[in-house]
């Protein structure tokens, strides 16, 4: 048989796939989407097969230099065809290396571990022959000598694990590698994991046999039915239970070749804690019903459709999602639910399970690799009908997907801030298109992009305009800090108006939530004499003062120092703390209300998910009167006794050099306002600001999304920003400023011709954060009214960088960036 070749995507930051020879022994095996082990640059790597061909690629050196695939992993391809297509799209659209993109879609590599293997080189053998005795040698030398001796005696290579058992062995081995006496290579070893037998119907074996055979027996029919019509491949124990047959029958069929079998990591048990969970039983209101009827229509149509569920906070969107899942399941389809944070996967997963008893899988990055791998394979083997997860769950290896829900679609957590820099929401819509499924995006404050699509008729618009059970939206009032100052003649961390409102809540025994979106005690330390701020050594950013730790800290790189007594620049002693953060606000409230029970929720006070849940639990249980926190407090929670939400320094984000600043501010204020008055008690929201006339604040106060959208869309159109232009940011970074400048100039030359082809090129200019972790950063912003023109400008840019020897890590291409700052 002619030789065959396979294109393999490897997790390296290169734009191409790599060709390998398919060994004849693998004939008949499916390779597309299959994980394979291949040699790459003197080491073994796990990649995924993407394409086959009968012809050798034309490369210098000819066929001989093409290496063979070493091993096949898994019994079935990890990636179904639709996911391969999705990965190829991501790689093109987000200008991301194909191998790193595929890596993001594959299950964690729990089956293998990377190891280093040492063997004696010719030089080492020669050296051994010359050495005579160990007399007079240093300790290091005798360790090396012993190591060489041992490798010589054993004749074969030794792994780093074996060598590490010797005191000083590994260091000695590395020294010998550097001197050329040992050679080292990276290898992959199988790791032992607990596995179970998975069985699948073997169509190739079963059919011809069936013709000759006398009437087929019942047990075999039932097994076939379960494995083909009902479920797909199953673990032995589950197959036995579902088909109602004995193990012996199954094993006999396996022996005859009617069933295929392989080992997979053990699946985890269904969570036990949700057996005693009773979900709320809500009768849908008229608006929820109408939205759901539309969704049913879309799902029954059995083709791609996208819809935006725009529902105010507390309008009961979750119930509509559950109804949508029901619709998809009833059509024999599967569903994916994306949520913006890990904590919500538990909550939503629980609701889904309680409602349908359908098996639900949870996928998120917070799971240990082994559990994530088990969940992943459970999904791959069609044991789960609904997958709930965070961003990367958009790659859940489900087939027959009928619905993809994206909850809080505007959240920036859907954007991955490392390669591949995809947006989970946009990827969800594209995947729905590939699968012929329905994409359902939900939000109280949709992104400009999504609402624009709804207005343009690309997405169907479904609206929930009122809160459930006729609860009213909270009353929102502005506290004009300029007026406050005129009246009080002093600036306090919390305005007098807000202070009085909190006092009232303490007196009546309800709860207050205070949002201050800055960590630390003071934003910066300013020298009143020379006007300079104390900056981070590694980043162009002012250091934040943390009083409890007595440190000035950089929130970007972690650099920290003790607050100096004098200005490092001019030696003056007039150093002042400027700008109040959450720590200061909490301290102030403790001074003002010594008897109140006050807690703070930010990354300084809660470091783990458990601590976070504890604080929120205590607040929900009424053990805390005032909760102060950063935007962590703004999200999704349902507190029944909160009657006051105060927003300190609401206009903070408006000062940022980012085209989404107004949108972010509007979203945050609307979300936090949605936290008040969710129970029987009605709520009040106080928003402190120096710019009460800013439209983002005005419309947030009125909770008027549509007017905000129209105003913001007007500016975006005028300034050529999304959704009216496609945008990409290209960042060039290096510790040496000369390199960063030289590479930026080279890229400027590359981009220049695209100016005439409909792409506006801004830059290179110093990035808003001009220095970060000691690297100098320059930025291009590319804009075009046509996505295709932008794609053309970007498509060759990484190859160009490679041709100019610009390191891969020095260039970050971000398509549809979440922000430009
Ligand atoms: P949001 O739209 O803000 O996501 P949720 O889906 O969290 O709103 O619903 C808010 C609350 O309203 C939940 O406690 C939910 O159980 C309840 N709820 C949902 N639908 C109804 C309904 N039709 N009648 C009464 N309560 C409802
Ligand atoms: Zn720093």
């Amino acid at each position: 048989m002619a030789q065959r070749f396979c294109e393999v995507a490897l997790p390296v930051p290169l734009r191409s796939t790599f060709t390998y020879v398919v060994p004849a022994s693998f004939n008949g095996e499916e390779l597309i989407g299959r994980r394979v082990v291949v040699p790459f640059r003197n080491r073994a790597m796990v990649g995924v097969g993407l394409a086959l061909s009968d012809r050798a690629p034309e490369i210098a050196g000819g066929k001989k230099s093409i290496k063979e695939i070493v091993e096949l992993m898994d019994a079935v391809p990890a990636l179904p065809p639709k996911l391969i297509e999705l990965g190829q799209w991501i790689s093109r659209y987000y200008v991301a290396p194909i191998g790193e993109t595929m890596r993001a879609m594959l299950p964690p590599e729990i089956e293998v571990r990377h190891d280093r293997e040492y063997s004696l080189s010719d030089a080492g053998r020669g050296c051994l022959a010359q050495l005579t005795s160990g007399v007079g040698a240093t300790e290091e030398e005798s360790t090396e000598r012993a190591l060489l001796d041992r490798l010589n005696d054993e004749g074969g290579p030794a792994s780093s694990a074996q060598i590490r058992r010797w005191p000083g062995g590994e260091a000695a081995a590395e020294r010998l590698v550097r001197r050329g006496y040992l050679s080292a290579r990276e290898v992959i070893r199988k790791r032992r994991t607990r596995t179970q037998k998975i069985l699948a119907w073997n169509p190739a074996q079963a059919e011809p046999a069936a013709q000759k055979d006398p009437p087929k027996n019942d047990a075999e029919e039932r097994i076939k039915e379960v494995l083909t019509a009902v479920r797909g491949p199953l673990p032995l124990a589950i197959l036995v239970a579902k088909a109602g047959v004995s193990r012996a029958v199954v094993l006999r069929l396996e022996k005859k070749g009617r069933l295929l079998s392989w080992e997979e990591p053990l699946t985890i048990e269904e969570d036990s804690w949700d057996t005693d969970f009773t979900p709320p039983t809500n009768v849908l209101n008229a608006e929820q019903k109408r939205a759901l009827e539309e969704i049913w229509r879309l799902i029954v149509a059995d083709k791609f459709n996208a819809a935006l569920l725009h529902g105010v906070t507390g309008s009961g969107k979750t119930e509509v999602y559950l109804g949508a899942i029901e619709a998809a399941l009833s059509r024999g389809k599967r569903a994916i639910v994306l949520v913006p944070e890990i904590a919500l996967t538990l909550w939503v997963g629980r609701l889904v399970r309680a409602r349908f008893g359908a098996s639900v899988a949870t996928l998120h990055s917070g799971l240990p690799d082994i559990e994530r791998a088990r969940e992943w394979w459970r999904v791959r083997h069609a044991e789960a009908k609904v997958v709930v997860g965070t961003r990367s769950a958009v790659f859940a290896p489900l087939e027959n997907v009928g619905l993809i829900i994206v909850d809080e679609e505007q959240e920036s957590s859907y954007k991955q801030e490392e390669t591949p820099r995809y947006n989970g929401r946009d990827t969800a819509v594209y995947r729905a298109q590939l699968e012929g499924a329905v994409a359902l995006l939900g939000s109280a404050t949709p992104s400009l992009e999504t609402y624009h699509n709804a207005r343009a008729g690309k997405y169907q618009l479904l609206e929930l305009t009122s809160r459930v059970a006729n609860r009213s939206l909270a009353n929102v009032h502005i506290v004009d800090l300029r007026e406050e100052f005129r009246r009080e003649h002093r600036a306090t961390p919390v305005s007098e108006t807000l202070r009085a409102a909190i006092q009232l809540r303490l007196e009546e025994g309800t709860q207050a939530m205070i949002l201050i979106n800055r960590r630390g005690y003071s934003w910066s330390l300013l020298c009143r004499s020379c006007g300079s701020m104390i900056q981070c050594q590694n980043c162009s950013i002012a250091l934040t003062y943390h009083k409890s730790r007595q440190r000035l800290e950089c929130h970007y790189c972690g650099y920290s120092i003790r607050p100096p007594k004098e200005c490092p620049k001019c030696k003056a002693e007039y150093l002042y703390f400027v700008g109040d953060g959450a720590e200061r606000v909490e301290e102030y409230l403790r001074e003002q209300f010594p008897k109140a029970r006050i807690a703070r929720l930010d990354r300084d006070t809660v470091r783990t998910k458990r601590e976070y849940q504890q604080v929120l639990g205590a607040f929900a249980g009424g053990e805390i009167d005032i909760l102060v926190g950063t935007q962590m407090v703004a999200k999704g929670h349902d507190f029944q006794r909160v009657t006051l939400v105060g927003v300190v320094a609401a206009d903070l984000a408006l000062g940022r050099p980012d085209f989404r600043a107004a949108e972010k501010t509007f979203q945050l204020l609307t979300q936090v306002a949605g936290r008040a008055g969710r129970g029987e008690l009605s709520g009040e929201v106080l928003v402190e600001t120096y710019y009460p006339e800013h439209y983002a604040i005005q419309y947030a106060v009125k909770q008027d999304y549509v007017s905000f959208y129209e105003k913001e869309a007007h500016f975006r159109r005028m300034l050529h920003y999304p959704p009216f232009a496609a945008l990409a940011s290209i960042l060039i970074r290096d510790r040496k400023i000369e390199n960063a400048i030289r590479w930026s100039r080279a890229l400027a030359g590359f981009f220049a011709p695209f100016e005439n082809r409909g792409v506006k090129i801004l830059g290179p200019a110093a990035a808003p954060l001009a220095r970060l972790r000691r690297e100098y950063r320059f930025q291009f912003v590319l804009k075009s009214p046509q996505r295709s023109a932008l794609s053309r400008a970007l498509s060759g840019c990484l190859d160009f960088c490679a041709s100019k020897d610009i390191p891969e890590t020095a260039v970050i291409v971000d398509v549809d960036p979440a922000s430009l700052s």
Side-chain angles (χ1 to χ4, degrees):
M1 198 187 227
Q3 212 172 20
R4 286 190 315 156
F5 302 89
C6 186
E7 290 299 310
V8 177
L10 291 172
V12 290
L14 299 170
R15 298 265 292 151
S16 57
T17 53
F18 298 85
T19 310
Y20 288 88
V21 171
V22 181
S25 57
F26 293 169
N27 278 340
E29 294 277 4
E30 180 61 84
L31 288 169
I32 309 295
R34 184 86 167 261
R35 294 195 295 170
V36 295
V37 178
V38 295
F40 182 76
R41 288 189 183 156
N42 201 25
R43 49 175 296 192
M45 249 192 202
V46 176
V48 61
L50 292 189
L52 287 172
S53 106
D54 292 333
R55 290 222 330 254
E58 314 248 330
I59 51 165
K63 263 188 184 180
K64 278 234 174 67
S65 65
I66 306 179
K67 298 192 183 115
E68 280 196 350
I69 295 175
V70 178
E71 202 174 328
L72 300 177
M73 290 175 71
D74 320 316
V76 289
L79 299 182
K82 293 258 165 58
L83 279 186
I84 295 178
E85 219 176 320
L86 187 67
Q88 278 158 338
W89 174 77
I90 287 180
S91 170
R92 270 196 316 276
Y93 185 96
Y94 291 104
V95 197
I98 183 75
E100 290 187 316
T101 305
M102 291 297 171
R103 183 72 205 80
M105 308 179 89
L106 289 168
E109 277 169 27
I110 52 158
E111 304 84 349
V112 295
R113 65 194 160 77
H114 293 267
D115 201 358
R116 211 164 148 79
E117 209 173 69
Y118 299 91
S119 42
L120 211 54
S121 67
D122 289 343
R125 241 170 251 120
C127 166
L128 261 183
Q130 279 166 21
L131 285 174
T132 43
S133 76
V135 185
T138 65
E139 196 175 325
E140 279 194 357
E141 282 164 353
S142 30
T143 314
E144 289 168 11
R145 171 72 207 258
L147 198 61
L148 291 174
D149 271 337
R150 189 177 144 181
L151 283 168
N152 196 36
D153 289 347
E154 287 177 4
S159 71
S160 54
Q162 288 167 316
I163 283 180
R164 226 174 281 138
R165 285 189 214 122
W166 283 40
E170 200 171 17
E174 286 301 323
R175 282 198 302 275
L176 290 168
V177 168
R178 278 196 296 278
R179 300 218 298 273
Y181 294 148
L182 290 186
S183 59
R185 65 189 194 105
E186 306 293 321
V187 291
I188 279 185
R189 292 189 196 289
K190 283 250 152 94
R191 179 177 286 171
R192 292 180 63 88
T193 50
R194 293 183 61 202
T195 59
Q196 62 185 347
K197 191 192 280 282
I198 306 286
L199 295 141
W201 190 252
N202 185 354
Q205 276 294 313
E207 293 318 326
Q211 285 168 5
K212 281 186 255 127
D213 273 5
K216 287 166 279 181
N217 71 51
D218 273 2
E220 184 172 340
E221 273 305 290
R222 279 203 302 280
I223 290 171
K224 179 179 178 186
E225 161 105 15
V226 169
L227 287 181
T228 55
V230 189
R231 298 290 298 250
L234 283 179
L236 177 58
I238 297 182
L239 174 61
V240 164
K242 295 269 166 206
V245 297
S246 72
R247 285 171 73 96
V249 171
V250 174
L251 296 178
R252 203 159 49 237
L253 284 177
E254 181 200 351
K255 227 177 184 166
K256 281 202 226 157
R258 300 267 220 281
L259 297 176
L260 295 170
S261 75
W262 63 86
E263 296 289 320
E264 290 292 356
L266 209 58
T267 55
I268 38 179
E269 305 299 316
E270 300 266 287
D271 283 332
S272 50
W273 48 260
D274 55 41
T275 45
D276 52 74
F277 169 68
T278 11
T281 46
N282 296 313
V283 181
L284 295 191
N285 63 31
E287 278 191 328
Q288 286 170 315
K289 269 194 202 136
R290 206 171 322 126
L292 197 50
E293 274 163 21
E294 279 307 315
I295 294 169
W296 268 91
R297 245 193 289 286
L298 297 179
I299 284 180
V300 169
D302 261 339
K303 60 182 173 60
F304 167 67
N305 257 304
L308 165 62
L309 179 62
H310 177 210
V312 297
T313 53
S315 58
K317 291 186 285 294
T318 317
E319 284 291 339
V320 178
Y321 298 153
L322 291 173
I325 296 168
E326 183 175 5
L329 295 180
S330 79
R331 305 284 298 173
K333 299 279 179 82
R334 310 280 136 113
I336 299 173
V337 185
L338 301 183
V339 292
E341 54 172 300
I342 292 173
L344 287 171
T345 57
L346 284 178
W347 173 241
V348 176
R350 215 164 159 180
L351 285 173
V352 175
R353 216 170 321 205
R355 173 82 168 259
F356 306 108
S359 59
V360 179
T362 315
L363 289 174
H364 60 75
S365 56
L367 294 172
D369 273 0
I370 180 97
E371 274 182 43
R372 199 155 58 87
R374 284 169 182 170
E375 280 292 80
W376 198 96
W377 282 105
R378 212 159 73 88
V379 174
R380 180 71 187 99
H381 294 310
E383 286 169 45
K385 292 191 176 127
V386 184
V387 173
V388 179
T390 47
R391 182 178 60 220
S392 60
V394 73
F395 303 133
L398 279 173
E399 289 179 279
N400 198 15
V401 175
L403 173 71
I404 308 180
I405 294 172
V406 186
D407 185 27
E408 303 291 354
E409 61 83 27
Q410 82 289 352
E411 283 287 339
S412 52
S413 58
Y414 284 123
K415 174 80 177 178
Q416 171 146 304
E417 296 295 356
E418 61 189 61
T419 311
R421 293 171 183 266
Y422 66 96
N423 182 315
R425 175 210 49 218
D426 298 334
T427 305
V429 173
Y430 191 81
R431 180 163 183 191
Q433 222 163 315
L434 284 178
E435 308 257 5
V438 172
L440 177 61
L441 315 181
S443 175
T445 52
S447 63
L448 267 266
E449 285 86 344
T450 298
Y451 202 75
H452 175 72
N453 280 333
R455 280 268 172 109
K458 272 173 81 178
Y459 299 170
Q460 181 146 351
L461 181 59
L462 312 168
E463 293 188 291
L464 304 177
T465 57
S466 53
R467 284 189 163 178
V468 295
N470 297 321
R471 280 173 208 151
S472 53
L473 284 169
N475 289 312
V476 185
H477 302 291
I478 286 178
V479 179
D480 185 341
L481 291 175
R482 298 168 306 187
E483 260 175 39
E484 280 269 331
F485 192 75
R486 276 197 287 274
R487 218 173 40 233
E488 306 284 329
H489 298 291
R490 64 191 178 120
T492 45
V494 163
S495 67
E496 178 49 30
T497 311
L498 181 53
R499 199 201 61 80
I502 296 172
Q503 177 142 23
L504 198 69
R505 289 342 188 261
L506 291 172
E507 282 161 14
E508 69 180 26
T510 58
Q511 292 174 305
M513 232 166 146
I514 310 298
L515 173 79
I516 160 82
N517 212 5
R518 277 271 179 138
R519 288 195 292 134
Y521 193 84
S522 316
W523 309 346
S524 54
L525 194 52
L526 174 78
C527 172
R528 287 251 165 110
S529 183
C530 75
S532 59
M533 301 264 199
I534 308 235
Q535 288 222 337
C536 174
Q537 200 179 30
N538 311 319
C539 313
S540 53
I541 204 85
L543 295 174
T544 305
Y545 177 50
H546 289 259
K547 190 178 178 185
S548 62
R549 299 198 282 271
Q550 276 300 310
R551 302 299 282 183
L552 287 173
E553 293 181 3
C554 173
H555 285 180
Y556 287 87
C557 74
Y559 172 79
S560 87
I561 50 170
R562 286 193 75 79
K565 293 274 183 296
E566 54 183 37
C567 172
K569 285 225 177 88
C570 75
K571 307 293 173 205
E573 287 174 15
Y574 309 108
L575 294 178
Y576 285 82
F577 293 107
V578 233
D580 298 321
E583 193 182 359
R584 173 73 184 115
V585 168
E586 183 199 359
E587 183 189 77
Y588 180 77
L589 292 175
R590 285 189 193 281
E591 289 160 14
Q592 295 293 314
F593 309 113
K595 293 215 189 81
R597 296 165 301 171
I598 301 176
R600 175 156 58 95
L601 191 67
D602 61 26
R603 265 190 288 142
D604 297 317
T605 57
V606 297
R607 300 213 167 251
T608 63
K609 214 167 76 190
R610 161 168 295 184
E611 286 175 338
Y612 172 77
Q613 300 289 6
Q614 270 166 0
V615 176
L616 286 183
F619 190 55
E623 294 157 39
I624 294 168
D625 303 312
I626 309 172
L627 182 64
V628 180
T630 55
Q631 59 185 346
M632 270 178 146
V633 304
K635 304 260 166 71
H637 316 284
D638 225 9
F639 300 114
Q640 305 283 310
R641 291 191 64 77
V642 173
T643 58
L644 173 69
V645 171
V647 186
V648 176
D651 36 38
L652 258 182
L654 288 176
R656 288 182 40 176
D658 181 14
F659 71 101
R660 287 194 214 273
E663 183 182 3
K664 288 268 153 61
T665 301
F666 177 85
Q667 285 165 349
L668 181 62
L669 292 181
T670 312
Q671 293 285 343
V672 75
R675 294 311 109 215
R678 287 177 78 92
E680 304 293 312
L681 308 165
S682 65
E684 183 187 19
V685 180
L686 292 178
V687 176
E688 292 184 355
T689 174
Y690 281 104
Y691 309 109
E693 45 297 290
H694 194 287
Y695 64 96
I697 293 186
Q698 285 288 334
Y699 290 128
V701 164
K702 293 188 193 127
Q703 303 189 51
D704 181 353
Y705 175 81
V706 174
S707 300
F708 169 77
Y709 168 81
E710 280 166 0
K711 186 100 181 180
E712 179 69 8
H714 171 72
F715 290 130
R716 298 271 185 100
R717 187 179 278 123
M718 275 191 344
L719 299 172
H720 305 289
Y721 275 117
F724 304 99
L727 195 67
S729 130
I730 293 97
L731 199 79
I732 293 78
R733 55 177 185 176
D734 197 68
R735 288 205 173 183
K736 292 210 178 94
I737 192 168
E738 314 86 75
N739 285 344
I741 291 176
R742 186 157 38 89
W743 297 333
S744 301
R745 288 216 181 106
L747 258 181
F750 172 80
F751 285 134
F754 293 97
E755 281 271 17
N756 301 330
R757 294 177 221 161
V759 184
K760 185 144 188 61
I761 319 275
L762 306 168
L769 195 56
R771 201 160 161 257
L772 177 66
R773 297 192 185 95
R774 300 200 175 168
E775 289 179 326
Y776 292 90
R777 294 146 51 94
F778 291 86
Q779 189 182 34
F780 290 89
V781 174
L782 269 56
K783 285 179 182 180
S784 177
Q786 281 133 11
R787 166 84 45 196
S788 55
L790 181 72
S791 303
R792 276 195 294 277
L794 292 174
S795 65
C797 115
L798 291 188
D799 287 338
F800 171 81
C801 290
S803 76
K804 294 286 172 203
D805 288 329
I806 304 176
E808 288 109 17
T809 48
V811 185
I812 299 176
V813 179
D814 194 351
V815 179
D816 303 340
S819 90
L820 286 180
S821 61

